[in-house]
Structure formats: structure tokens, C-alpha cells
Amino acid sequence: MLKGQSVLLPLALMVVSCAFPVERSRAEEAAPAKEMHLGIIVTRTSEAAQAVLKQLNAGMDFGVQAKEHSINPSADNGGYLGELNPANLPPAERDALQKMHGEKFTGIVPVPSGFAILTILPGPPKVQNLNADQMKRLASSGVIRQSISVAGLVESDAGFRQYPKPDGWELDSREQCNLRNESHAAAVARLEKFLSDAEGQTENKPAIGDIMHAYQALAQLHAYTGDLEASIKEWTKALEISKSEVPAGVPYLEEALGISYFQLAEIENEAFRYPGDNEIFPPPEQIKPYEKQENSRMAIKYFQDILETFPEDLQVKWLLNVTYESVGEYPAGVPAKYLMPASLFGTKENIGRFIDVAPAAGLNVVGSAGGVLVDDFENNGQLDVITSSEALCDPLHYFHNNGDGTFTDRTAQAGLSDQLGGLNIIEGDYNNDGCMDFLVLRGGWEFGMRMSLMRNNCNGTFTDVTHESGLDKTVYPTQTAVFADVDNDGYLDLFVGAEKVPSHLFHNKGDGTFEDISHAAGIDKIAFTKGVAAADFDNDGYVDFYVTNFGGGNFLYHNNHDLTFVDIARQAGVQAPYSSFATWFFDYDNDGWPDIFVASYANYTDEEVMRSYLELPTNVETLKLYRNMHNGTFEDVTEQVGLNKEYMPMGAGFGDADNDGYLDIYLGMGNPSFASVMPHVLLRNDAGKEFVDITATSGTGEYQKGHGVSFADLERNGHEDIVTEIGGAVPSDKHAMRVFRNPGNDNDWINVRLIGVKSNRSAVGAEIKVTVENDGGSPRSIYRTVGEWSSFGMNPIEQHIGLGHGARIVSMDVFWPATNSHQKFSGVAKNEFIAVKEFDKSYTKLERKTVRLGGSKAAEAAK
């Protein structure tokens, strides 16, 4: 084998050189070998080779093009043949290389298997697979400190799995609710009987460790339902045994008790139902402490006792600080050696303080982990709100916008009362009737369950059409999906990411039904998929998919324009993080090309998050921001823009919080454990150069579990509010949603609603470019694409576009990929709501009534 030669080389050379005998003169044979790194792309037809060469000359990456188009065995390695002497190649390839004369690529060379393009590479491909073994070693070696889990989810799920179930239970949400309640009660009864029998036994008595673990399991099951007093009794019994028999378990049980007392304090003070500023961190200067403080004081005692022995336990130190906040003694009352100052949680940069107006506005739902949709579901110009809750007995909630800054819960009238559960919900006008439909996703992290496709009847009601649409043929656990028109036929198709089973691509047949084309499309890889996002990342007019996976490399599916896809994530450089979650495409730097954001989610590693805040070395992956390099590859700019930090976001979304034209990020934190109370984070995009944490000054640092996030202008005043669904994974950890009212500023904006004609009606995939001059300066362009949503949070289909200060709109361009058509408008007024219909030569101004969320109640609260 030649020096540096790829293991693929023998077969690759065989494919290239078959039927072309290599003949050399004696002079050539005597010439010293000059080895070089060579790459090759082989296509079946000359037309395909010409198309590839055109892309290469336009600047597209050779390795990505090889992965997408080459039939040569070297394709998976970016077309890399190895380091070899061209003299060893067949004459046609050798001559083509010699005739390059400074060109980057050879011409098209006929070979037995097709048509080849060769290049000289600077070296071997830099791309490599994620080192999964390294991540696993870190987790198993104790380098990554796993946080304590107190919630009972694992124990209740185990009881659910063991409980007998009738056939078809996965398709019946009411049956699922009953089974959850019955199985949980049965698990409690089994443990109580075991412990009761053990107390009366003198012979064949269970091992003391088994008895202690039974008390712990029973404590967890009581915690699941919110009976914290019963849970604390069982934890205390386990602690008594541990002190005398298993001393090593004492710190764990003391921490579990401290957490349980804190959770009980929050419940009895109704902090989850009426949170106010009590669960915002850092807290404002004036905060009303809990009236009932006994259990908070108990939690403080346990946490301080642990820290006396383990002073560097950052998880407990953080919990101590939060608990002191609950009694109104943060920061002054926190012992100095354990204080985590507010200065750690964001800069002094200030765009104004956001005020939660959810209760005043009537958006007062309390639920478990779930999703949120904000859109004009009634086509009256006002934004309505839909929420879901993953608890199997919780219904969806539909909030009708009253048009006066308040909302009314019309779940029953909308026909949604029987739609139970749902870890996430996504929207899409699948039947092109101009009324926004939505899909309920169930079973994520747990069990396979039925999806529900809810058709909007255009009269304020919805009908479950899952069966009629053909989406009920397979059942699997999922919490992520996205609607996109993959073949530009004017109908939205559906990509559903699944967990530990193949993902699914459903092609919209245009008659209200879908066809499963997953295998034929090449997207049916098996992974623990947690996020799916859609965008045309290479600007070729066809939508592509980015898929994030928990415990494995991510996928970037490039659209081949024929209902098939190829995964080029490795060649494009976007496989990380190893444990990924929420993701999206967005143009963070306004260069006209979609970039990729992906959140890491190292479960139960709250301590790593605290280490990041303290600027200590961390042991798990950070979030990732990949900048589109315009050639089919991405550059990891995470550190460059200041996002190389540890967070643990579940819900996540983006929008323009300050109307400067650059998209900001909001992350909702947490994991199922009651111990996981970390402030959500608002990251301001500073002109595409860096992201600045403004959590402290914005007042958006809710520290309970964050899920669905939506940026939406609920007040119709040109400023995006932040609507976020809050709640944990168990019934006892339900929480009121938050609606953070934007304080506003004097930057300008425009709101654009696109309407497809031949393209899909809701214009998903259409691109908007607004060119503006700010304060008389040089023109700049701002880009938005309809349908670029977060995988765990969706903004309205209308496009709110911040323009910056003193803006004058020079022009507005709209591109429709499905019809390859452009519209250009000049003289567009700023600070207006407008609609643009495909092919029309003019736009329509829309009348929108400005309101104040919550009316006088919200105004009073803001004081």
C-alpha cells in the first residue's frame, strides 16, 4: 500500500482504472515519485458530472459534493483517494491532473463506471466521527458529576411498563390516562406490602439494603404525585437505616430531603400556580418572601449540613442560594462562602425589564412539560395560544384572543378537551385551506403513543383527522417534527423524529392524506432523535433537514430533488454535540445563508452548568452554533460568539427581542428532578458578532422547568413578547406558563404575512430580504425564512422583522422556491403589518389593533 493511502484506495482505483491498462515509459518509471493528496468524484452520467463541476466552480465543498453525488467508494470519506503518485493512475486521469494548470479541478474524465472529476487536496479530510467512546468514559468515570434525581418519574415509569395493558392502548389517550393512574397505585401498594411484610418477619427477612431502597422508591412514588409529606417520611426512614447500616448513602439521602422540603415549600406557598417574582433569578430588589417558611428553613438546614462536609458541591450550593431567595434573604442572608452572586447570571447590558403578565391576560394555565403555539388560528388578525402538557391526563388548552389584551380558555368549544397529553405541538396548514392546523406529539423520553393531527375547521374548532390522514399507522415515542414542502409541489410534507426507532417522512398527497416514504427517502436511520429542523441550507431551492440525536451524531439530510436525501453531517462538520436536543436553522449574522443552532443536553448535570457560570473547567459539551460557509459546509463559531457555555435547555426559541434586526435566543432550562432549578437564559445577538447574556437585567430568569418557547407580538405594538410553557415531567411539578411582556424601545420593525398561491398556502420555505438604511447610514440587509422554527417552540407564521433605529426600508424582496419566482417592492412603510400574495405586484396593508396585555391589571403589576 502506498504511503498515506486510504483503506478505500484499492477498490477506488479498481473502479477508476478498470479497462484502462496503465502504461509507463522507462523515463516515467525512473522519475522520482511525487505523491499528493488526491480526491475524486464519479457520477453515472455526463450531465450529472457537469452539474457537480458547476457547483464546485461556484465554491461548493469538494467533500460534501462527493458525499452527495459520487458513486465511488471514496464518497463517504469526502472523495479522498489517499496520498499517492499520479503516475500510478490510468493515463486519462493522470493527463487530466497534469493539464489542470492552476485550476482547482480537472475537467470531466470518462471512466468505466461513469464520469470523473479529480482534484488535488491540501491534505486528508479533517472531518471525523464523534468520539462517542470518549463521552461515555467521561460519564462513567465520575468526572461528570450526575445530579440527584428526586421526582419519581423513573419509578412510576417502571410501574407503568410492568402493568398489564389491553391491546391498542397506545391509540387511546383516555386509556393511557387510566393506565398511568392504575399502574402508579399498584406500584405504591406493592412497596407498602413489601415493607409491611418485612417489619413482621423474623426469619428470611429481606436484606437491610433492600428495605432501605424500598423506602427510597416509595418516597419517589409519593413525590411523583405531590404527596411530599408522605415522601419526606419515607426518605427519613431510609436515612435512619443509612446512618446505622450504610453510612455512604447519608449525603445522598440528606440532599434528597433538602430538595423535598424545598419542593414542599414551593407547593404550600402556591409558587407554582402564582409564581410572580419569587421564581425569577436573579430576583428584583424587592421580593415578597414565602409566608410559610418552615419547610424552606428545613431545606436550608439540610443543604448547609451537606456543605459543611462537601463545601465544593456546586449543586447543593446553588440550591442553598435559591432557597434563601424563597425566604427573602438572598443575597444578604447567604453565608459568604456559599454565595453565588447575581453578577454571574448576565451582564449589565439592558434592553428593559420584561414583566410576566400571564395571569392578568388570562393565560393562566398550569401544566406539566409541554409545547406552545402562538398564531392567528381564527384568521381575525389576533394571535391565539395553544398549550400542551405531557401528563397523560392533562388536556390541551386553547386560548382565544379577545382582542383587548386578554384571552379566554375555549378548549371545550374548540373540541380539544379529549386531546390528552402531548410533550410538544407543531403547526402547519397541511391542507392549504388558509387555516392553521397542528400536530400533537406524544411519548418522548418514555413510550410509543399516538400522534394527533388536528384540522382547523376555520370556525374556531378543530377535528382529529389522524386516522383519515394516514398518520396513525405507526406508533412510536416522539416529541419533534416539522412541516416542510420537500418536493415543491405546493403541499406541506411531514418529518417526524422518533426515539430508538426509524424516523418518518410523510409525503403529502394533496388530498388530505399522507404517504410514508421514509425508507425510500433514505431518512429512516435509527437514533434517539430529539430535534428536527428544516431549511434550504445550500440555497439550491429545496428544503433540507437537520436532525439532532441524544447519544450519537446528528444528521444533515441534503435534499436530492427527487424525494430522496443523503446524510452529509460528517462532511459538513455538524455532527456534534454527542447529546443534542433543541435545534433550529436561523440566519444569525444576516448574510443570507441559514446557520444552525443546536443545544447540548447532558442530562442530570446541573453541576456542570454551575461550573460554567463560575467560569470553571467543564466536562460536557457546550451548545453549538454552526456558521454557514456558503459551500455546503459549516464552521463551528460557538466560542467565537460566546456560546461555549454549559446549559441544559429543553424548551428553546429565537426572535428579535430588541428589534435590531438580529435574532436573539431564549433557553428554558431543567431536567425532571426537583433539584433542577436553573434560570432560563435570554441571549442578545450583538450584530451577529456575539451573544450576550442579559438574563439578569431582562427579568426573564424563571428557574423552573422550561419547555415550549414562542416569540410573538401579542400586543400588536411591534415588539415581540416571550411566551413560554413551564412545567416538569411529573404531576407534582406543574407550573404556570409565563408571558414576558416586552418593554419595547424606539427601534423600527415590519410584520409580513406571506400567502402562497402555487406554493404552499402558508408560504413555508419562502424567503424575505429587507434592505434598510439606519439613521442615514449605509444599506444593510435583514433575512427571514418562513418555517424556520425551533424544534421545541414555534413562532407565528407571520414574520416579525426588527429594522433597527431610524430605519428607512430601501426595498423588500420575496423569493418563492417552489415556483422560483421573485417579488421586489420599494416604498414599503416601516412599523406596519402587511400581506404579500405570491405573484402579486403590490402588497396589502393589514389593520391591527394595538392592545395592552392584561389591560389595567398588567399596567398596575408593572408598577
Side-chain angles (χ1 to χ4, degrees):
M1 183 175 290
L2 297 172
K3 176 185 176 184
Q5 184 173 306
S6 165
V7 294
L8 293 173
L9 182 56
L11 182 57
L13 279 176
M14 180 181 71
V15 172
V16 172
S17 62
C18 181
F20 285 89
V22 180
E23 298 179 2
R24 302 182 183 85
S25 68
R26 290 184 179 178
E28 288 175 326
E29 291 177 349
K34 184 179 181 181
E35 296 178 343
M36 55 187 64
H37 298 280
L38 296 181
I40 191 169
I41 295 174
V42 180
T43 64
R44 286 191 172 87
T45 67
S46 174
E47 291 77 14
Q50 290 171 2
V52 170
L53 188 57
K54 182 179 180 181
Q55 292 278 6
L56 292 173
N57 287 327
M60 297 303 286
D61 182 77
F62 188 89
V64 170
Q65 290 292 299
K67 172 64 175 177
E68 291 182 22
H69 302 291
S70 183
I71 60 173
N72 190 270
S74 64
D76 283 342
N77 202 31
Y80 183 60
L81 287 175
E83 186 178 5
L84 53 108
N85 186 346
N88 292 323
L89 292 175
E93 289 81 62
R94 183 183 65 230
D95 293 346
L97 286 168
Q98 291 175 346
K99 294 177 181 177
M100 288 175 63
H101 301 304
E103 299 291 332
K104 292 183 178 180
F105 313 103
T106 68
I108 298 171
V109 183
V111 297
S113 58
F115 299 84
I117 301 167
L118 291 92
T119 189
I120 300 171
L121 299 168
K126 296 180 180 179
V127 296
Q128 59 183 2
N129 286 316
L130 287 177
N131 191 342
D133 291 337
Q134 180 183 5
M135 295 301 299
K136 292 175 182 176
R137 284 196 300 271
L138 281 172
S140 61
S141 65
V143 172
I144 301 175
R145 196 264 206 192
Q146 295 292 304
S147 302
I148 183 172
S149 176
V150 179
L153 180 63
V154 172
E155 291 75 11
S156 188
D157 277 357
F160 186 88
R161 288 189 176 92
Q162 296 168 11
Y163 195 72
K165 306 174 188 67
D167 292 340
W169 68 271
E170 307 98 327
L171 302 175
D172 187 337
S173 58
R174 184 64 61 183
E175 182 66 30
Q176 292 163 11
C177 168
N178 294 335
L179 287 170
R180 172 62 92 177
N181 292 334
E182 293 169 6
S183 64
H184 187 89
V188 171
R190 282 197 305 272
L191 283 170
E192 289 178 338
K193 185 176 186 305
F194 171 82
L195 290 168
S196 176
D197 291 346
E199 286 182 7
Q201 287 179 285
T202 56
E203 297 181 2
N204 299 320
K205 192 177 182 72
I208 193 67
D210 291 339
I211 294 175
M212 185 179 76
H213 289 141
Y215 281 124
Q216 292 177 224
L218 189 55
Q220 294 276 23
L221 290 173
H222 286 315
Y224 180 90
T225 56
D227 191 350
L228 268 298
E229 292 182 346
S231 180
I232 286 170
K233 288 179 181 178
E234 305 304 333
W235 285 118
T236 303
K237 292 175 184 177
L239 177 60
E240 290 171 355
I241 294 173
S242 184
K243 285 180 176 178
S244 60
E245 304 287 343
V246 193
V250 170
Y252 169 85
L253 293 167
E254 287 183 335
E255 186 173 349
L257 277 163
I259 292 166
S260 298
Y261 274 113
F262 179 58
Q263 184 81 358
L264 178 57
E266 292 181 297
I267 291 174
E268 68 179 4
N269 284 282
E270 296 192 293
F272 292 164
R273 181 170 293 275
Y274 307 107
D277 286 332
N278 289 88
E279 296 192 338
I280 298 292
F281 196 93
E285 292 184 5
Q286 299 296 324
I287 186 173
K288 183 180 179 181
Y290 288 171
E291 292 182 5
K292 301 175 183 178
Q293 297 189 2
E294 179 182 355
N295 289 306
S296 288
R297 300 289 179 187
M298 287 294 294
I300 288 172
K301 178 182 181 304
Y302 274 107
F303 294 147
Q304 285 188 305
D305 286 348
I306 295 169
L307 288 170
E308 288 300 316
T309 306
F310 303 99
E312 300 306 316
D313 190 321
L314 297 181
Q315 169 83 72
V316 175
K317 187 182 293 187
W318 165 244
L319 288 170
L320 179 68
N321 280 255
V322 173
T323 311
Y324 267 111
E325 179 186 342
S326 73
V327 295
E329 296 178 8
Y330 175 90
V334 183
K337 57 184 176 181
Y338 302 139
L339 177 64
M340 299 189 77
S343 59
L344 298 174
F345 300 89
T347 68
K348 293 182 179 180
E349 183 175 318
N350 195 343
I351 66 169
R353 191 168 184 88
F354 289 67
I355 304 296
D356 177 24
V357 296
L363 293 167
N364 53 1
V365 65
V366 176
S368 299
V372 62
L373 299 177
V374 182
D375 217 317
D376 183 2
F377 289 98
E378 300 174 22
N379 286 342
N380 59 6
Q382 301 295 336
L383 298 177
D384 310 296
V385 178
I386 302 175
T387 67
S388 70
S389 172
E390 67 89 31
L392 296 185
C393 298
D394 284 1
L396 300 180
H397 283 274
Y398 179 81
F399 291 96
H400 163 77
N401 191 324
N402 299 322
D404 61 359
T406 66
F407 294 77
T408 299
D409 190 336
R410 289 189 179 174
T411 303
Q413 297 92 320
L416 298 176
S417 297
D418 290 334
Q419 291 296 326
L420 307 181
L423 185 52
N424 199 7
I425 43 181
I426 68 163
E427 68 178 42
D429 182 5
Y430 80 96
N431 58 357
N432 277 347
D433 64 355
C435 301
M436 187 60 69
D437 316 297
F438 69 96
L439 181 73
V440 185
L441 302 165
R442 299 185 175 96
W445 298 107
E446 295 184 294
F447 324 107
M449 296 180 190
R450 175 186 188 268
M451 298 186 297
S452 291
L453 178 62
M454 306 305 300
R455 185 187 68 208
N456 189 333
N457 299 321
C458 302
N459 61 2
T461 68
F462 297 83
T463 299
D464 188 336
V465 294
T466 315
H467 176 70
E468 294 88 332
S469 68
L471 293 180
D472 64 341
K473 291 182 173 61
T474 51
V475 175
Y476 38 83
T478 178
Q479 65 169 53
T480 184
V482 67
F483 284 103
D485 184 359
V486 301
D487 56 350
N488 287 339
D489 67 350
Y491 289 93
L492 293 179
D493 310 296
L494 175 64
F495 189 119
V496 182
E499 298 176 0
K500 298 184 179 179
V501 295
S503 291
H504 285 71
L505 179 60
F506 296 98
H507 181 243
N508 192 327
K509 296 166 69 174
D511 59 0
T513 67
F514 292 84
E515 177 187 8
D516 188 344
I517 62 168
S518 311
H519 182 68
I523 61 87
D524 58 340
K525 290 187 177 185
I526 296 177
F528 199 79
T529 294
K530 302 307 297 180
V532 178
D536 178 10
F537 79 88
D538 57 351
N539 283 346
D540 66 353
Y542 284 79
V543 69
D544 313 294
F545 294 109
Y546 186 64
V547 178
T548 61
N549 300 309
F550 185 77
N554 300 330
F555 309 143
L556 179 60
Y557 287 119
H558 179 259
N559 191 327
N560 295 326
H561 309 178
D562 59 1
L563 292 179
T564 68
F565 294 78
V566 60
D567 176 20
I568 61 168
R570 186 169 71 94
Q571 287 74 19
V574 293
Q575 281 190 305
Y578 178 74
S579 292
S580 295
F581 200 176
T583 186
W584 59 71
F585 285 97
F586 71 158
D587 187 359
Y588 85 93
D589 55 355
N590 277 329
D591 67 351
W593 293 75
D595 312 298
I596 298 175
F597 172 88
V598 53
S600 60
Y601 190 80
N603 201 9
Y604 296 107
T605 54
D606 305 65
E607 177 150 321
E608 293 294 320
V609 177
M610 293 303 116
R611 293 181 67 84
S612 188
Y613 276 121
L614 292 166
E615 299 185 350
L616 298 172
T618 56
N619 304 294
V620 295
E621 296 170 291
T622 69
L623 339 145
K624 289 291 183 183
L625 181 64
Y626 294 112
R627 181 175 180 268
N628 194 320
M629 298 303 291
H630 312 177
N631 64 356
T633 69
F634 292 79
E635 177 189 7
D636 185 345
V637 294
T638 310
E639 184 172 359
Q640 178 181 323
V641 300
L643 290 179
N644 56 327
K645 295 180 172 61
E646 306 298 343
Y647 298 113
M648 200 159 54
M650 292 181 288
F654 62 92
D656 190 351
D658 56 354
N659 278 345
D660 66 350
Y662 289 91
L663 293 167
D664 311 303
I665 295 172
Y666 188 68
L667 303 176
M669 306 302 177
N671 66 49
S673 176
F674 297 158
S676 186
V677 286
M678 294 177 291
H680 303 181
V681 176
L682 181 57
L683 300 166
R684 179 180 175 270
N685 185 340
D686 182 8
K689 296 177 293 186
E690 67 173 333
F691 286 84
V692 180
D693 187 343
I694 59 170
T695 304
T697 55
S698 66
T700 55
E702 161 70 52
Y703 62 66
Q704 287 298 335
K705 319 300 188 298
H707 283 84
V709 173
S710 177
F711 282 73
D713 180 10
L714 292 177
E715 296 187 311
R716 294 317 211 185
N717 64 354
H719 302 282
E720 288 189 300
D721 312 296
I722 301 175
V723 183
T724 177
E725 201 272 352
I726 311 289
V730 300
S732 57
D733 212 15
K734 294 181 180 180
H735 197 282
M737 72 182 300
R738 295 280 199 174
V739 179
F740 290 111
R741 180 182 183 273
N742 194 316
N745 58 29
D746 58 357
N747 284 345
D748 297 310
W749 53 272
I750 189 169
N751 187 295
V752 184
R753 176 68 185 266
L754 300 184
I755 304 168
V757 177
K758 286 189 176 180
S759 299
N760 67 86
R761 180 70 176 270
S762 52
V764 170
E767 302 168 8
I768 303 170
K769 173 185 174 183
V770 181
T771 302
V772 299
E773 294 175 349
N774 293 110
D775 297 319
S778 301
R780 66 174 176 125
S781 295
I782 302 167
Y783 298 86
R784 296 290 183 269
T785 300
V786 181
E788 287 184 2
W789 293 298
S790 166
S791 65
F792 215 138
M794 304 190 80
N795 297 345
I797 199 73
E798 63 186 34
Q799 296 298 296
H800 175 91
I801 306 172
L803 303 176
H805 189 267
R808 183 181 76 85
I809 298 177
V810 177
S811 64
M812 184 177 75
D813 298 81
V814 181
F815 172 59
W816 301 82
T819 54
N820 193 29
S821 59
H822 293 261
Q823 294 165 288
K824 185 165 187 173
F825 305 98
S826 58
V828 179
K830 63 184 180 182
N831 303 333
E832 298 280 4
F833 294 84
I834 67 173
V836 176
K837 195 171 184 179
E838 188 177 16
F839 305 125
D840 282 4
K841 298 186 181 302
S842 60
Y843 60 87
T844 303
K845 180 180 176 181
L846 302 174
E847 295 299 326
R848 296 288 184 258
K849 176 185 175 183
T850 300
V851 299
R852 186 174 182 84
L853 281 173
S856 59
K857 293 181 180 179
E860 186 63 29
K863 295 178 182 179

